[in-house]
Amino acid sequence: GAAAAMTELIGIVPDCAWENVASFAAPSDCYNIALASKRFFRPVSISSDAPERRGGQKPRRKSKRLKSAGGAPPLLLATRMLRVSLEHNLERVLEHSRSGITLESLKKLGELPEGSAVIAGSTMVQACLGVLWGKEGKKTYNDGRSDVDIFCSAKAAPAVRSWLVENSDCMFVGLRDSYVSLASSKLLYSVDTNIHHVEHWGSISENLVKEDNYSYGKEEESPPPVGDAKNTEYYKKVVGYGKQCQSRYIDWKFKNGLHFTELGIDQNKAYDVKPKSGGDLPFDFHGDGNIDLVVGRLKDKSGDKKIAPSDLLSDFDLEICKCSFDGKKFHIADPHNTFSGKTQMEPKRRAVVSSYAAHFSPPANKYLSGAEASTHTSAVIRKVRVDVRSTPFYGLLDLA
């Protein structure tokens, strides 16, 4: 029958051909086809006459069974296909972001000690779904260039900053102080977190020439012939700024913009924005960028547990946003839903949002004073508290 013919067809296609198919397919397609046959749950076979891979990369040389490092069980074809597809789609998303980070530079991040840093958020969501947001003329925030979110431990932060500068085309452009601000609507979901602060980074090449008529103090400079933005006067200048940014910018921001005793945000010197020993930290306060470097606390609020990047991802409301890549391994949260373009929401927050939506009604007067708006919202929240008896949200709400 047709099923038997399909099974036979799947079985005679060599592994190297399936890898080539995966390099052009969305991860969701690779996931679904792997579920169609046991054939994909056998160890990978690599023949010596495997065709050249996409992008001009040479195939691995002959090995009847490809084993993963450390004597672990052989790598399954389904796993290999997903890896190939995820890498190619992540490469495409990073190129589209014009952030200065490439797939090859990201793999260098994997050379840091395990648990140092991961890339997650919208970049990984696009890679998992095999899509590019803002493509084909669709106007989105930042002209379709997605934020690139990197999460790291406080201990690893200096090495991660040096990776951004030395292995990528990136520079520091300021602190994302709006993540923790008493005037920010994000307060309720940001202060009770393992995040200490968020740094804003951008591409050196993108900042080299200001395209509009407002230079904000930056000198316009043509890209060097070799395309190396680090061989420019602008780069030398911003490296000089970086040597003074801690004393002239960071310390002031931590003290005046990000330091609230009641929120437990401290100014330990371990959080200084610095590269690894001997490294440069190019800095331009007027620069632009779409990279968020999220730096965790040294320990959680109890003081008993050191914070790893995985602990930072646990703060996400949506499961799909917890998908990550550390330069070596991909971690796909809830793969069946993720590769179906679906996600679950953190249960307690979902319950609060659902109840709030059910009880909320727009005020008759659209132009309320601050006190009137607060009264209207508080009336809704009182009803929500009856529906949802217990959630950490209420403690933060009372603090605010």
Side-chain angles (χ1 to χ4, degrees), residues 25-328:
S28 57
D29 295 330
C30 294
Y31 181 78
N32 287 327
I33 197 171
L35 296 179
S37 172
K38 295 179 181 179
R39 159 82 171 81
F40 298 101
F41 292 88
R42 297 173 183 169
V44 178
S45 298
I46 302 295
S47 62
S48 59
D49 58 348
E52 188 173 282
R53 294 174 61 201
R54 186 169 135 199
Q57 298 176 347
K58 293 182 178 180
R60 283 180 296 273
R61 292 306 173 190
K62 55 186 178 181
S63 173
K64 290 186 178 180
R65 284 289 181 261
L66 181 64
K67 291 188 176 182
S68 52
L75 187 66
L76 302 181
L77 178 57
T79 304
R80 178 60 194 158
M81 288 174 62
L82 267 177
R83 171 89 185 194
V84 169
S85 179
L86 284 165
E87 283 192 1
H88 279 293
N89 280 278
L90 179 56
E91 182 178 35
R92 193 168 59 121
V93 174
L94 289 171
E95 182 179 352
H96 185 61
S97 74
R98 304 202 307 273
S99 62
I101 299 174
T102 65
L103 178 63
E104 289 308 307
S105 68
L106 192 54
K107 288 181 177 180
K108 292 285 185 180
L109 186 66
E111 296 177 2
L112 298 180
E114 187 174 357
S116 294
V118 299
I119 184 171
S122 59
T123 297
M124 278 300 301
V125 171
Q126 290 176 86
C128 289
L129 299 180
V131 298
L132 287 179
W133 293 337
K135 193 184 178 187
E136 297 174 352
K138 296 177 183 178
K139 188 71 174 177
T140 63
Y141 175 74
N142 209 22
D143 283 338
R145 291 184 296 159
S146 299
D147 288 342
V148 177
D149 300 316
I150 299 170
F151 298 78
C152 72
S153 65
K155 181 180 179 181
V160 174
R161 295 185 190 105
S162 290
W163 163 77
L164 281 165
V165 176
E166 296 171 6
N167 297 115
S168 303
D169 176 41
C170 301
M171 60 186 294
F172 177 53
V173 295
L175 289 174
R176 286 282 205 182
D177 50 338
S178 62
Y179 273 72
V180 182
S181 167
L182 289 176
S184 171
S185 60
K186 298 178 182 177
L187 172 70
L188 297 175
Y189 289 128
S190 61
V191 295
D192 188 32
T193 177
N194 292 316
I195 296 171
H196 180 267
H197 71 272
V198 179
E199 301 169 18
H200 191 191
W201 287 69
S203 163
I204 299 171
S205 297
E206 291 284 319
N207 279 290
L208 182 60
V209 178
K210 192 73 174 180
E211 294 180 354
D212 57 31
N213 295 324
Y214 300 96
S215 64
Y216 294 101
K218 284 195 292 188
E219 297 176 5
E220 293 191 5
E221 182 176 353
S222 299
V226 295
D228 186 359
K230 295 177 181 177
N231 289 333
T232 61
E233 290 301 316
Y234 172 69
Y235 183 75
K236 293 177 183 177
K237 182 172 63 176
V238 294
V239 166
Y241 293 158
K243 297 182 186 300
Q244 306 173 55
C245 79
Q246 183 66 44
S247 59
R248 295 194 174 186
Y249 171 68
I250 301 296
D251 289 342
W252 186 91
K253 290 291 286 186
F254 274 1
K255 182 178 180 180
N256 295 282
L258 295 170
H259 180 57
F260 305 109
T261 303
E262 65 271 23
L263 302 184
I265 299 176
D266 61 64
Q267 298 179 78
N268 190 308
K269 298 299 286 183
Y271 299 118
D272 284 0
V273 178
K274 59 187 178 184
K276 67 182 182 182
S277 180
D280 289 330
L281 183 74
F283 168 58
D284 188 349
F285 177 78
H286 297 297
D288 299 315
N290 57 334
I291 303 169
D292 288 335
L293 176 59
V294 183
V295 181
R297 298 174 183 268
L298 289 169
K299 293 185 178 181
D300 65 6
K301 287 190 174 182
S302 69
D304 298 328
K305 181 177 181 294
K306 292 183 179 180
I307 299 299
S310 57
D311 298 310
L312 305 181
L313 302 186
S314 66
D315 287 335
F316 280 129
D317 295 349
L318 304 178
E319 280 294 311
I320 197 171
C321 294
K322 298 178 183 179
C323 296
S324 64
F325 180 54
D326 65 1
K328 287 184 178 179

Side-chain angles (χ1 to χ4, degrees), residues 3-26:
M6 180 60 69
T7 300
E8 183 179 359
L9 176 62
I10 289 175
I12 63 175
V13 176
D15 290 358
C16 59
W18 283 119
E19 284 197 35
N20 279 345
V21 169
S23 71
F24 290 93

